[in-house]
Amino acid sequence: MGSIVIPIPEGDQGFTHDIKQEKKFQASLSSTLSFVQKNKDEIRKVIHAIKVGIALVLVSLVYFVDTFYKEVGDDNAMWAIMTVVVIFEFHAGATLSKGLYRGAGTVVGGGLGGLAAILGQLVGGIGNPVVVGVSLFFFGGAATYVRLNPNIKKKYDYGVMISILTFNLVSVSGLGGESVIEIARERFLMIVLGFAICICISFFVFPMWASDELHDSTASKFEGLASSIEGCVEKYFNEKENQSARPIASFKGCISVLNSKAKDESLLKFAKWEPPHGKFGLSHPWEKYQKIGETLRELAATILSLEGSVNSPGESLQALKESIREPCEAAGSSLARALRELGESIMKMRRCQPGASIAPTLKVARQELSQAMSPFKLGKLDNAEGFAIACFVFTLMGVVEKLEDLSKEVEELGELAGFLQD
C-alpha cells in the first residue's frame, strides 16, 4: 500500500506569521501617522468646520422647540444663530474673548439704547423720533471717534462696534411702541445662549488652544535658526560645490522667523484669555514668549545679514577662507547646538542649566571666532579680501551676543513658569 505523507508545519511558522502581521500593522500605523503629521493643519481646519456645524445645529433647536420658539419669537431667536456665526473662532481663546466683548458691547449698547427709547416714549408724539435720532447721532459719533483711537481699535474694536449696533437696534425698536426692556432682555438671553454653546464646544470638543500653538511654534523656531547657521557656514566654505540651491535652504528658517511677528502677537493675545489647561497654569508668563520672539527675530536678522558674505564672489578669498575655516565651522556648530538645547528646553518645559551647558558652549564659540580674527589669519584688513572675511567673522560674533541674550530670556522663562530642573 502507498503511504500518505501528512505535512506537519514547523513550530515557528505561526510565530513567523504573527511577526509579519505585526510588521504590516507597524508599517500601516507609521504611514498613517506620517499622513496626519504632513496634513496636520488641514485636519485641524476640518475639525473646526465640524465644530461650527455642530454649534449651528444645536442653536437652531430654538426654532424646532415650539414652546421655546413661541416664547422668544422669530426676530429674537435669530440672535442666537448670529452669535454663533460671528464669535466662533478657530482658537478657544479667540472665541472666549470675542464672546465676552460681544456681551459687554451688548450690555452697554442695549442699556443706553433702552434709555434713549424710554426717554423718547416719555416725550411722545413728534418728539419721540427726534429724541431717538439725536441719541443715535451723538452716541454713534462719539463711539466711532473712540473706536479710531489706536489702543482702543487694537484691543476693543469689536466690543465698541457691537455697542453701536445694539444701541441702534434697541433704540429704534422703541419707535414702534414695543416694550424696549422686554426686547432687550430676550435678545440678551439669545446671545448668552449662543455664547454658551460656542464655549462648550470650543473648550470641550477637540479644543484648539492658542497657548499650545504659541508654545510649540516658539520652540520650533530655534531648530530653524540652528539649521540656518549650519547651512550658512557650510555654504560659505563650500560655495564651489553648491552655488544656487543652498542659500535658499539656509535662510528659509530666518525668513520664517522674521515673518512670524503678526501671528505671534495674535496667538499671545488669545493665549491670555484661555483658562488653565494641560501644562499651562493660571499665571503662565505669556509676556516672556513675546520677548523671546523679539530676540529671535533680532537673531534671525543678524544671521540673514550673512547672506551678503555667502553670496559674494569668493574665488580670490579662498586661501583666506581656508585659514579660518576650522574655527568658524567649530563656532557655527557650537551656536547651532546651543540653539537646539534652548529650543528643547522650551518644548519639554525643562530648565537646561545655562551655567552648566549653554554658557560654556557660547564661550567656546567666542574663543574660536577670536582665534579666527587674529591678524595672522586675516592678513591686512586694509585690503578688500581681509575686510570681507572680517565682516563675516564679526557678524558671527554678533550672533554669539544675540544668543547670549536669548539664553537669559529662556532661563527667565523657565524660572517664572516653573520648568522642571534637569
Side-chain angles (χ1 to χ4, degrees), residues 231-232 234-250 310-311:
C232 174
E234 180 182 348
K235 171 62 182 177
Y236 187 70
F237 292 105
N238 299 278
E239 58 183 356
K240 289 185 177 181
E241 299 175 10
N242 190 347
Q243 290 287 340
S244 59
R246 190 63 183 180
I248 298 177
S250 297
V310 171
N311 295 329

Side-chain angles (χ1 to χ4, degrees), residues 38-51:
K38 290 180 180 179
N39 300 274
K40 184 178 179 180
D41 291 338
E42 292 301 321
I43 293 175
R44 295 177 71 200
K45 291 177 183 178
V46 171
I47 292 175
H48 174 68
I50 294 173
K51 289 164 63 176

Side-chain angles (χ1 to χ4, degrees), residues 20-36:
K20 290 181 179 179
Q21 291 294 330
E22 184 178 352
K23 288 183 177 179
K24 289 182 179 179
F25 174 76
Q26 290 177 350
S28 176
L29 181 61
S30 177
S31 61
T32 302
L33 292 176
S34 177
F35 173 80
V36 171

Side-chain angles (χ1 to χ4, degrees), residues 30-207:
S30 177
S31 61
T32 302
L33 292 176
S34 177
F35 173 80
V36 171
Q37 189 65 28
K38 290 180 180 179
N39 300 274
K40 184 178 179 180
D41 291 338
E42 292 301 321
I43 293 175
R44 295 177 71 200
K45 291 177 183 178
V46 171
I47 292 175
H48 174 68
I50 294 173
K51 289 164 63 176
V52 173
I54 294 173
L56 289 173
V57 171
L58 292 177
V59 79
S60 296
L61 294 177
V62 174
Y63 287 91
F64 303 150
V65 180
D66 292 336
T67 304
F68 196 51
Y69 177 74
K70 291 177 182 179
E71 179 68 23
V72 299
D74 180 70
D75 292 339
N76 293 325
M78 71 175 182
W79 283 77
I81 296 178
M82 288 175 57
T83 300
V84 172
V85 173
V86 170
I87 75 168
F88 207 130
E89 295 287 341
F90 186 82
H91 295 106
T95 301
L96 177 60
S97 62
K98 207 168 185 179
L100 292 177
Y101 283 140
R102 180 175 177 82
T106 300
V107 170
V108 173
L112 295 176
L115 291 176
I118 293 172
L119 181 60
Q121 290 176 352
L122 291 176
V123 174
I126 192 65
N128 189 1
V130 172
V131 171
V132 173
V134 171
S135 300
L136 290 173
F137 174 78
F138 281 105
F139 180 83
T144 301
Y145 178 80
V146 171
R147 189 182 173 194
L148 294 176
N149 183 288
N151 293 328
I152 298 296
K153 192 169 187 66
K154 183 178 180 180
K155 296 181 179 180
Y156 311 110
D157 183 64
Y158 181 70
V160 176
M161 181 184 67
I162 291 297
S163 67
I164 297 173
L165 174 64
T166 307
F167 181 90
N168 281 262
L169 293 175
V170 173
S171 59
V172 172
S173 299
L175 294 175
E178 302 176 74
S179 174
V180 177
I181 296 178
E182 187 66 20
I183 292 174
R185 184 185 69 85
E186 291 177 352
R187 289 182 179 177
F188 182 73
L189 289 176
M190 289 297 98
I191 291 174
V192 170
L193 175 63
F195 173 70
I197 290 175
C198 289
I199 291 299
C200 289
I201 295 178
S202 182
F203 280 26
F204 301 111
V205 180
F206 295 101

